[in-house]
Amino acid sequence: MARLYRCGECGLRFPNPALARQCASWCRTHRSCNLELLRQAV
Ligand SMILES: [Zn+2]
C-alpha cells in the first residue's frame, strides 16, 4: 500500500507530500477547499 500524505488542516490525503503541503497552505489562507487539489486527493 502506498504511503499517503495528509493535509494537517483539512485531513485530505494525497499521494505525495508536495500536494499535502500545497493543500495545507491553501486551507490555512483560504479556509476552503481548492478544487484542483481536491481532484488529486485520494
Ligand atoms: Zn487541506
Side-chain angles (χ1 to χ4, degrees), residues 10 12 14 22-23 26-27 30-41:
C10 69
L12 281 179
F14 296 91
Q22 269 183 56
C23 187
W26 178 277
C27 291
H30 299 265
R31 297 201 155 277
S32 71
C33 287
N34 180 333
L35 289 180
E36 287 302 312
L37 290 167
L38 258 182
R39 207 172 291 151
Q40 296 178 80

